[in-house]
Amino acid sequence: MARRGQRSRLWNGVSAASLALIVLVVFLLCRDGGKMPKEPVIEGADRSWSSFDGSVKSRPTVEYRNGTDLIWQIPGSPKAVLFIAHGCNGRAINFWDRSSSCEGCVGLPEERLIVLEALSRGFAVLTVSSMGRCWTMGEERLVVREIIEWWVVKNGLEMLPVFALGASSGGYFVSALATDLKFGGIVLMIAEGVFDQIDVSGDYPPTLFVHMPKDTRRKQKIDEFMVQLKKKGIDVAEVKCMEFPLSPNFLADRIPGLGNDVSAELFKLFQREGFVDENGYMKKDGRATRWKKALDVDNKGLLLDKRLINHVQEELNLAFAFHEMTSLQSEQIFKWFESHLS
Ligand SMILES: *[C@@H]1O[C@H](CO)[C@@H](O)[C@H](O)[C@H]1NC(C)=O
């Protein structure tokens, strides 16, 4: 009898504890909506596509070498060189606005703003296309190393520090390239790097991780690698990029050639289709959102110029903040580069 009483008391205790735990979990989930804290930490987000209008212009030189294209521009009195590596499916043409000097250039919203920020701060910018869809870690490393060295000498920039910024596949590539070439610093954007595959010594360059913590698997690796690099005495830092809500004028603010009326119509469409929540946050990654299909039905009057589809796609991915090139943190990125100039 006594034993059964004890057991049932114990049982009551256990169920009370589990109930309390369940209540706590439900409370926590409901409070956050199961999402990242919603604080749009986006310095420079007020910077629209036109903020460089007149001050710096994309007027690059296009060249072919070693079976790939390089597109570059050198501002007056350059103080440093910046090599930029795109992500998978990217090309050098995405970084530059279409102009008479590059008819085939695309000028994706984030890429172009990174380049314009760099030029306005006196960085000579070199972009190269990968041979295939993504960067590869074999011979391509040697080819790009030679391209950078050749280009720097040809343009008389060998006295300047060379920095590198790589996004996604480009980030992995740059993290490896940093063992072949002497960089003054590297930015690995939405990429943890290949630090589990390369030998990193104390003279590895200062490394800034610009990442989107919503991508928790990458975030974990970055946390790990930051500890490892610090232990080896390497200067490391991070910038976290968070999600933010869309608004009626958001797309017009970010994309040259997309008007306020189209921007507002698209925002309405996204609301109507339930692609954004009541606060304007993307519910899913832009790639997983069937907005192009919804647009097809709606786009009979050609609401959106087809040439801007990839531009819109990029901004939707950016707002969701899981995995996309970002220029919103340019201010922090370039201040960090500048703090490593000497
Ligand atoms: C790249 O091209 C240059 C000029 O044609 C050539 O001398 C060099 O060997 C090439 N590099 C590689 C790695 O193929």
Side-chain angles (χ1 to χ4, degrees):
M1 278 311 266
R3 243 202 219 140
R4 203 153 83 210
Q6 261 172 8
R7 222 173 16 226
S8 86
R9 261 204 307 281
L10 182 67
W11 177 240
N12 283 341
V14 168
S15 33
S18 9
L19 189 67
L21 191 65
I22 290 169
V23 168
L24 180 69
V25 166
V26 167
F27 167 76
L28 286 175
L29 282 177
C30 292
R31 198 190 49 169
D32 284 354
K35 281 193 193 162
M36 298 297 304
K38 285 184 177 172
E39 30 174 300
V41 193
I42 37 172
E43 271 135 76
D46 52 333
R47 172 160 275 178
S48 80
W49 68 266
S50 57
S51 53
F52 290 103
D53 240 18
S55 54
V56 233
K57 277 203 160 55
S58 178
R59 288 287 178 272
T61 303
V62 184
E63 276 182 86
Y64 296 89
R65 193 176 167 88
N66 299 102
T68 188
D69 52 335
L70 24 162
I71 309 186
W72 53 270
Q73 188 168 336
I74 302 173
S77 333
K79 64 181 181 195
V81 170
L82 178 62
F83 164 72
I84 310 183
H86 57 72
C88 291
N89 295 317
R91 309 296 306 157
I93 50 173
N94 292 344
F95 289 92
W96 309 87
D97 288 329
R98 202 169 85 90
S99 70
S100 54
S101 32
C102 184
E103 298 279 359
C105 279
V106 173
L108 285 180
E110 299 311 310
E111 283 83 339
R112 66 181 291 280
L113 280 176
I114 292 173
V115 165
L116 292 174
E117 180 81 36
L119 293 172
S120 77
R121 287 171 178 261
F123 287 73
V125 179
L126 170 64
T127 61
V128 177
S129 296
S130 58
M131 315 278 170
R133 205 175 73 81
C134 303
W135 296 94
T136 52
M137 296 294 170
E139 206 209 335
E140 195 161 22
R141 257 165 75 177
L142 177 66
V143 172
V144 172
R145 175 199 167 151
E146 283 187 10
I147 287 178
I148 296 174
E149 287 172 338
W150 165 79
W151 179 85
V152 162
V153 170
K154 191 188 73 152
N155 291 289
L157 305 173
E158 57 271 55
M159 297 310 286
L160 302 183
V162 181
F163 295 96
L165 181 157
S168 198
S169 168
Y172 299 106
F173 186 68
V174 162
S175 72
L177 198 62
T179 60
D180 309 329
L181 257 174
K182 188 155 176 47
F183 289 121
I186 58 172
V187 166
L188 307 183
M189 187 179 277
I190 52 168
E192 69 275 22
V194 291
F195 296 107
D196 45 3
Q197 294 162 51
I198 53 173
D199 245 345
V200 169
S201 58
D203 64 352
Y204 195 81
T207 301
L208 177 68
F209 293 93
V210 176
H211 66 107
M212 301 185 162
K214 196 191 250 178
D215 185 347
T216 50
R217 281 177 55 189
R218 274 207 182 78
K219 184 199 174 295
Q220 267 167 24
K221 289 212 152 162
I222 288 168
D223 290 344
E224 261 172 55
F225 288 160
M226 282 184 72
V227 171
Q228 285 177 26
L229 291 173
K230 264 184 210 156
K231 269 192 198 142
K232 293 189 177 173
I234 294 150
D235 173 356
V236 284
E238 68 181 319
V239 172
K240 296 175 182 170
C241 312
M242 312 306 263
E243 65 180 347
F244 58 89
L246 302 188
S247 62
N249 58 337
F250 170 66
L251 291 172
D253 286 346
R254 305 293 300 168
I255 304 173
L258 196 150
N260 277 315
D261 45 347
V262 174
S263 182
E265 279 302 317
L266 287 171
F267 184 62
K268 261 194 247 166
L269 172 74
F270 300 157
Q271 284 179 314
R272 200 164 62 234
E273 297 284 336
F275 297 153
V276 293
D277 71 12
E278 65 281 9
N279 297 314
Y281 288 88
M282 290 292 290
K283 287 186 189 164
K284 292 190 214 162
D285 187 66
R287 301 166 187 93
T289 303
R290 306 197 64 168
W291 69 275
K292 285 178 246 175
K293 197 161 165 44
L295 185 67
D296 261 351
V297 183
D298 259 50
N299 208 19
K300 291 281 192 300
L302 282 180
L303 173 63
L304 180 65
D305 182 336
K306 295 263 189 275
R307 283 170 303 182
L308 295 180
I309 295 264
N310 289 336
H311 299 57
V312 172
Q313 179 73 73
E314 175 166 84
E315 292 306 305
L316 299 183
N317 300 341
L318 178 66
F320 186 69
F322 186 84
H323 193 71
E324 189 51 83
M325 180 78 92
T326 174
S327 72
L328 294 174
Q329 290 74 20
S330 287
E331 182 90 19
Q332 287 144 281
I333 292 172
F334 282 94
K335 281 205 173 127
W336 183 85
F337 278 142
E338 283 162 353
S339 73
H340 293 89
L341 268 177
S342 51

